[in-house]
Amino acid sequence: MATSPQRTDWTILRRNLEKQRLLKKRLFKRAGINIDTLSKLAAIFFRSTPVYARGHRNAAYPRVVRKTFFLADLPKAFDGYRILHLTDLHLDSIPALAGRAAAKIRRFFKETSIDACVLTGDYVDVHALKQFDTILSPMGQLCSAMAPKDGIFAVLGNHDTWKMVAPFEAMGIRMLINETCLVRRGDTTLAFTGVDDPNDYFTPDALKALEKVDAGFKIALIHTPELYKAAEKNGFNLYLTGHTHGGQISLPGGWPVVLPLKKGRQFYKGVWQYKKMTGYTNQGLGTVSIPIRFNTFSEITLIELRKAKKNGAVR
């Protein structure tokens, strides 16, 4: 994709924000707060416990989740539209995960017609700002398993770097950097709008991108649910997101031990509704820091949109 002035401005801004984030990590390290070291110590602890194997199985073998959304404003032309949703892939967290996910995805495309694939950020675990090349091969493996009619659309997460955009687009992924891509069925339009990660890299350009969309059925692709109010205010019908891993390590009953959200904490997992807008927070494919899950599971989601008299969702 040719570089636009908007993309150039974004690249400069995101690069500077990433440098600031690295500087903060160094300051934390000098102050004796080293998140990477704490994560390694936590991993050592869990590996020494008898429940580690069960937690690793929960993380290493993705489950397929199928959701049907009944949406009043869905145009008839898009009734039955199918979206494959992946988020928080963290492809370096569990090396075998990409192959297992690709096998399941390949089976999807043999069994049914899928119109679009959407990826809502976080493709690496903890070292993206220093090195991300290791995930390009498994990312290519996943992309080769996908053959959607309308394309693969993606946004960046808080673990990602601006350097990923070019290699991802070379794989055929349409990166949405505070941008909108329109899908047409005759005279009817469906809009995919993707904005930059609002958790660590928020800028007013994210809000401007949501404000610009004025046509058709509107789907927001945002790494976290934190922009739910802005999306609903600007008439978005569906909000697809991730970031939380559904808690990753949760207490019985699904209560997360850590929930990295500044806003929208009530929307940390599954189907949700905010006024007229429907949302879905995917539990994610990969893991952060420790390759285990408790009371959560690794998720690949197939969403089907159906026209209805009123909004609703069926599990």
Side-chain angles (χ1 to χ4, degrees), residues 69 71 73 225-239 241 263-267 270-281 311-313:
F69 288 97
L71 300 160
D73 294 329
E226 291 165 301
L227 295 184
Y228 69 97
K229 287 185 178 180
E232 192 279 333
K233 180 181 178 182
N234 286 287
F236 278 80
N237 307 94
L238 182 63
Y239 189 125
T241 186
K263 300 176 182 177
R265 293 172 67 86
Q266 68 272 39
F267 304 137
V271 180
W272 46 271
Q273 192 76 30
Y274 180 69
K275 296 184 179 180
K276 294 183 178 181
M277 183 178 70
T278 301
Y280 186 72
T281 305
N311 287 349

Side-chain angles (χ1 to χ4, degrees), residues 59 88 90 93-94 125 245 248 285-293:
D88 300 275
H90 298 285
S93 61
I94 302 174
D125 189 357
H245 297 241
Q248 184 169 325
L285 184 66
T287 57
V288 171
S289 301
I290 311 171
I292 57 174
R293 286 179 178 267

Side-chain angles (χ1 to χ4, degrees), residues 257-307:
V257 175
V258 177
L259 191 56
L261 287 175
K262 300 167 186 173
K263 300 176 182 177
R265 293 172 67 86
Q266 68 272 39
F267 304 137
Y268 80 95
K269 182 170 69 173
V271 180
W272 46 271
Q273 192 76 30
Y274 180 69
K275 296 184 179 180
K276 294 183 178 181
M277 183 178 70
T278 301
Y280 186 72
T281 305
N282 188 315
Q283 291 190 137
L285 184 66
T287 57
V288 171
S289 301
I290 311 171
I292 57 174
R293 286 179 178 267
F294 292 110
N295 298 304
T296 63
F297 54 85
S298 172
E299 178 177 339
I300 300 169
T301 309
L302 184 61
I303 294 169
E304 183 171 355
L305 308 183
R306 300 309 303 253
K307 184 166 181 61

Side-chain angles (χ1 to χ4, degrees), residues 44-58:
I44 292 169
F45 166 77
F46 276 110
R47 285 191 176 95
S48 68
T49 68
V51 297
Y52 178 82
R54 178 162 58 89
H56 187 70
R57 282 196 302 273
N58 291 339

Side-chain angles (χ1 to χ4, degrees), residues 84-315:
L84 181 70
H85 180 205
L86 294 176
T87 193
D88 300 275
L89 290 77
H90 298 285
L91 292 169
D92 51 344
S93 61
I94 302 174
L97 191 57
R100 291 172 186 149
K104 288 181 179 288
I105 291 168
R106 199 170 284 113
R107 199 174 306 131
F108 278 156
F109 282 97
K110 287 182 179 179
E111 295 173 353
T112 189
S113 169
I114 295 178
D115 297 284
C117 295
V118 300
L119 315 174
T120 49
D122 275 8
Y123 307 96
V124 296
D125 189 357
V126 293
H127 301 298
L129 303 188
K130 296 179 181 179
Q131 180 181 344
F132 68 93
D133 294 354
T134 55
I135 63 100
L136 293 180
S137 178
M139 193 69 188
Q141 189 178 10
L142 284 176
C143 287
S144 67
M146 302 177 190
K149 292 180 182 178
D150 297 323
I152 305 171
F153 306 98
V155 296
L156 294 181
N158 61 301
H159 280 248
D160 303 325
T161 173
W162 65 273
K163 296 177 183 178
M164 291 176 171
V165 173
F168 278 17
E169 292 199 324
M171 294 179 195
I173 301 171
R174 175 66 165 89
M175 298 300 296
L176 297 177
I177 310 296
N178 302 319
E179 297 164 332
T180 295
C181 190
L182 301 179
V183 173
R184 301 185 185 279
R185 296 286 189 271
D187 295 331
T188 312
T189 303
L190 182 150
F192 287 107
T193 298
V195 307
D196 204 8
D197 164 61
N199 191 263
D200 287 351
Y201 298 108
F202 174 78
T203 68
D205 288 339
L207 299 180
K208 291 177 183 177
L210 295 174
E211 293 167 359
K212 286 180 181 178
V213 189
D214 58 2
F217 187 85
K218 302 196 288 189
I219 301 176
L221 306 179
I222 305 175
H223 181 58
T224 86
E226 291 165 301
L227 295 184
Y228 69 97
K229 287 185 178 180
E232 192 279 333
K233 180 181 178 182
N234 286 287
F236 278 80
N237 307 94
L238 182 63
Y239 189 125
L240 300 180
T241 186
H243 180 63
T244 64
H245 297 241
Q248 184 169 325
I249 297 175
S250 294
L251 301 174
W255 297 101
V257 175
V258 177
L259 191 56
L261 287 175
K262 300 167 186 173
K263 300 176 182 177
R265 293 172 67 86
Q266 68 272 39
F267 304 137
Y268 80 95
K269 182 170 69 173
V271 180
W272 46 271
Q273 192 76 30
Y274 180 69
K275 296 184 179 180
K276 294 183 178 181
M277 183 178 70
T278 301
Y280 186 72
T281 305
N282 188 315
Q283 291 190 137
L285 184 66
T287 57
V288 171
S289 301
I290 311 171
I292 57 174
R293 286 179 178 267
F294 292 110
N295 298 304
T296 63
F297 54 85
S298 172
E299 178 177 339
I300 300 169
T301 309
L302 184 61
I303 294 169
E304 183 171 355
L305 308 183
R306 300 309 303 253
K307 184 166 181 61
K309 291 182 179 180
K310 61 180 182 179
N311 287 349
V314 175
R315 292 189 180 275

